[in-house]
Amino acid sequence: MTEDKIPEARELILHAKKIIVFTGAGISKESGVPTFREAGGLWDKFKVEDFATPEAFSRRPREVWEWYRFRRKLAKKVQPNSAHYALAKLETTHSDILLSTQNIDNLHSRAGSKNLVELHGNIMHSYCLKCGYMADESENELPGDIPTCPHENCDGLMRPNVVWFGEQLIPEDLERSFQFASESDCCLVVGTSGQVYPAAQIPYLAKRNGARIIEVNTEPSAITSIVDYFLKGQAGDLLPRLV
Ligand code: BJW
Ligand code: ZN
C-alpha cells in the first residue's frame, strides 16, 4: 500500500547524499498540461510523425509551428503545481541534487528549480536553423506564421527548441544527467511512462550504482519493475508528503 510506504520513502530521501530526479509529463498534468501516451493524451489526437519529427517540420512548417504556438500559450497560462514546488524545495535541503526533466513546459524552472536539465528542450525558446541564434519567447513571440531569424538580418528559418524523434539530445545535458545518475544513491522518478530513450536510461544507471529508486505515478510504468518503492497516486498529492 502506498500510504504505508510513504514514511520509509521519505526517510530515504531525507538521508540521501546524492539525488537524481527524473520527471515526465505526468508531473504537469495536474497543472493542466496534457500527457502523451495516456488515453486522451497528445498522441491520441495527433500523430507523432506529423508533428514531432524533423521530417514533419520540413514538410509542414506552418502546421508544426501552429501546434507548438498553441502548446506554448497553454504552458504560459498554467501554473506550476505542488509537485513542481516540492522538487524546488528539495534543492534547499539537499545540495547534491539534479532534476533531469523530459518536459518542455518550463514549469520546473518557474517553480524555482535551479539544478535543472531540460533533456527535450524548452518550448519557450526557438532557434535559427541557419545561424543557431536562440530566441527566448517567454514574453513576446516572434512575428510570422513561420518565424524567421531576427539576428543581424540573418532571416534563417526558426524552429521550436525541442527534441523531436530521431534527433540527438544536447550531448552535454545527456552526459551531465547520465554521470550524475551513475553516482547517485537515490533516484526519484515522477510521472513518466519511461518509454522514450535515451532519457529513460537514467533510472537504470542509478540502479547500477546501487541507488534506491522511488517512483511516483498514477499507473505502473516501464520502469516500475526495477524500483524499490512504487507510490501509486498523483504527484501533486504525494511529492509534498515526501520532501
Ligand atoms: C501521472 C499523473 C499524475 C499521469 N501524477 N503521474 C532505444 C530503444 C528504443 C528506441 C530508441 C532507443 N533509442 C532511441 C530510440 C528512438 C526514440 C525512442 O525512444 N522511441 C521509443 C518511443 C520507441 N528516441 C529518440 O528518437 C530520441 N533521439 C535519439 O535517440 O536520437 C539518437 C540519435 C543519435 C545520433 C544522431 C541522431 C539521433 C529523441 C526523443 C525525443 C522525444 N521527444 C518528445 C517530444 C518533445 C517535444 C514535444 O513535446 O512536442 O518528448 S516525445 C514525448 O515523449 C516527449 C516526452 O518528453 C517524452 C516522454 O514522455 P513522458 O513524459 O514519459 O509522457 P507519457 O505520456 O508517456 O507518460 C506520462 C506518465 O505520467 C504516465 O506513466 C502516467 O501514468 C503518468 N501520470 N498523471 C503522476 N498526476
Ligand atoms: Zn539566424
Side-chain angles (χ1 to χ4, degrees):
M1 281 291 290
T2 290
E3 286 301 322
D4 305 339
K5 291 185 218 154
I6 289 176
E8 269 181 58
R10 196 183 150 83
E11 279 294 298
L12 185 64
I13 293 170
L14 186 66
H15 297 297
K17 296 207 161 42
K18 193 174 183 101
I19 307 178
I20 179 89
V21 185
F22 178 50
T23 66
I27 195 167
S28 296
K29 191 173 170 185
E30 291 156 73
S31 291
V33 182
T35 58
F36 294 91
R37 293 169 187 80
E38 293 181 284
L42 287 171
W43 298 154
D44 235 15
K45 300 191 194 83
F46 304 95
K47 278 201 216 151
V48 173
E49 56 273 26
D50 285 346
F51 291 96
T53 62
E55 294 74 28
F57 186 65
S58 6
R59 260 196 334 265
R60 323 155 57 227
R62 197 175 303 274
E63 284 85 349
V64 172
W65 258 116
E66 202 180 330
W67 194 58
Y68 279 98
R69 261 197 220 94
F70 163 76
R71 291 177 58 207
R72 185 190 285 157
K73 279 205 183 87
L74 176 68
K76 280 185 193 175
K77 202 174 75 184
V78 303
Q79 300 303 326
N81 64 52
S82 48
H84 298 103
Y85 286 115
L87 292 180
K89 186 179 151 208
L90 201 54
E91 283 184 7
T92 64
T93 53
H94 293 70
S95 53
D96 209 5
I97 181 166
L98 183 69
L99 169 50
S100 204
T101 187
Q102 299 166 89
N103 299 345
I104 62 169
D105 58 27
N106 206 34
L107 291 179
H108 282 304
S109 176
R110 284 174 60 197
S113 283
K114 298 272 184 293
N115 302 346
L116 176 66
V117 170
E118 291 168 317
L119 289 166
H120 292 161
N122 184 314
I123 199 168
M124 300 302 159
H125 304 152
S126 310
Y127 67 89
C128 172
L129 286 174
K130 198 162 140 195
C131 75
Y133 173 77
M134 185 72 77
D136 181 349
E137 295 180 81
S138 48
E139 300 297 331
N140 297 309
E141 308 229 327
L142 291 168
D145 286 355
I146 307 170
T148 49
C149 181
H151 184 62
E152 291 176 354
N153 302 322
C154 165
D155 228 25
L157 196 61
M158 298 295 286
R159 59 158 281 181
N161 179 32
V162 299
V163 181
W164 287 320
F165 280 110
E167 290 188 315
Q168 229 183 327
L169 282 64
I170 303 287
E172 300 82 58
D173 288 348
L174 191 61
E175 183 48 37
R176 183 177 172 207
S177 303
F178 279 6
Q179 185 64 36
F180 202 96
S182 307
E183 295 165 358
S184 296
D185 61 344
C186 176
C187 175
L188 182 55
V189 181
V190 186
T192 177
S193 60
Q195 292 183 33
V196 175
Y197 281 82
Q201 267 176 264
I202 286 171
Y204 294 89
L205 291 171
K207 180 93 182 169
R208 210 162 67 186
N209 189 48
R212 309 294 295 282
I213 307 193
I214 300 164
E215 180 179 32
V216 173
N217 200 312
T218 46
E219 298 299 329
S221 73
I223 296 163
T224 308
S225 62
I226 66 156
V227 310
D228 298 281
Y229 296 91
F230 177 67
L231 306 179
K232 186 174 164 67
Q234 301 213 329
D237 170 38
L238 292 172
L239 281 184
R241 297 162 66 194
L242 283 174
V243 307

